Amino acid sequence: MEIVSSNKSFGGWHKRYKHRSTSLNCDMVFAVYLPPQAEQGEKLPVLYWLSGLTCTDENFMQKAGAQRLAAELGLIIVAPDTSPRGESVPDDPAGAYDFGLGAGFYVNATREPWARHYRMYDYVTQELPALIESNFPVSEKRGIAGHSMGGHGALICALKNPGRYRSVSAFSPIANPMQCPWGEKALSHYLGDDRTLWREWDACALLAEATEKLPILVDQGDRDDFLEGQLKPQALEAAAKAAGHPLTLRMQPGYDHSYYFIASFIGEHLAYHAKALNS
């Protein structure tokens, strides 16, 4: 790993690293916040944060205001990028924001030209955690959270890997990608037109088959411009109810899709994860 930057924050350190990813066949950058307790020799729980469309590792770390409470809770936070990057990595031919670079959707692509690089699921569930656990003082107590496309990513990573995570939460997740324009575009390009193959990347479909009833916390603003057309929290609620899966869905009056919303409730989410990870 090559260190890109290092900044002192609330007694701990926010650091960015660059490394060569074997899953994605390109160089990747990720960020990690190490609270003060990381310098005391103990292994700490880790929360993986997955960001949304167009984002990099920097959006959450700079805008969410998570470091102060993470320092108090003794929680390491890891924020990967949202897609592979580099000159050799294909992008949306039209340059659209909702596909290609910045829009990996946390799936393993099977169609060319995407399959060689767009394997974000393997990256965030296997390669990156192995790198983190080999180089930082983290325990095997893992949580996962995210926003929008990253909320979708957090949900499917937890649902597809029983026992791997002790906690999961999301802000404004793309809850039913098989049934929304963002998801249909991404899944058809990355996986092909056979919709039966999309089910393993859709939280609503996965809930029906989940063998682990890991509680899910979701916050959603009711003034979100993408609420009805793209996010579909009611579909997630219905799927969880049908499966008997514990879900807390909180509709927050007046809040939109922005980081103002995330910053307003990130403290509650970090406390939620810390309680589960330290239990």
Side-chain angles (χ1 to χ4, degrees), residues 14-67:
H14 168 258
K15 299 185 178 185
R16 300 182 74 221
Y17 291 90
K18 181 179 180 181
H19 74 108
R20 184 71 182 179
S21 168
T22 56
S23 301
L24 306 176
N25 288 294
C26 65
D27 290 338
M28 292 292 285
V29 173
F30 68 88
V32 57
Y33 177 69
L34 300 166
Q37 298 89 332
E39 297 181 353
Q40 298 172 8
E42 61 178 308
K43 290 192 174 183
L44 303 175
V46 57
L47 176 66
Y48 291 88
W49 174 271
L50 307 183
S51 291
L53 289 167
T54 75
C55 292
T56 68
D57 64 284
E58 295 182 283
N59 297 74
F60 176 79
M61 290 299 199
Q62 293 183 6
K63 296 180 179 180
Q67 289 89 343

Side-chain angles (χ1 to χ4, degrees), residues 181-232:
W182 279 341
E184 289 178 308
K185 179 177 180 179
L187 297 177
S188 63
H189 280 72
Y190 291 138
L191 306 175
D193 295 328
D194 183 354
R195 297 178 71 95
T196 62
L197 301 177
W198 299 4
R199 292 182 57 82
E200 66 174 299
W201 307 105
D202 186 297
C204 289
L206 290 170
L207 276 169
E209 306 163 3
T211 58
E212 179 188 42
K213 303 298 184 182
L214 185 66
I216 299 171
L217 170 64
V218 172
D219 272 314
Q220 171 66 62
D222 72 356
R223 296 290 298 274
D224 191 318
D225 290 340
F226 306 111
L227 177 59
E228 299 300 329
Q230 302 283 10
L231 305 179
K232 302 185 182 296

Side-chain angles (χ1 to χ4, degrees), residues 10 49 51 57-69 77 79 147 171 258-268 270:
F10 293 98
W49 174 271
S51 291
D57 64 284
E58 295 182 283
N59 297 74
F60 176 79
M61 290 299 199
Q62 293 183 6
K63 296 180 179 180
Q67 289 89 343
R68 179 187 60 79
L69 190 57
I77 301 176
H147 171 232
F171 288 83
S258 71
Y259 266 84
Y260 294 108
F261 170 46
I262 296 172
S264 298
F265 297 98
I266 192 61
E268 295 178 31
L270 293 184

Side-chain angles (χ1 to χ4, degrees), residues 96-110:
Y97 76 93
D98 58 356
F99 182 73
L101 297 183
F105 261 82
Y106 305 102
V107 304
N108 285 342
T110 55

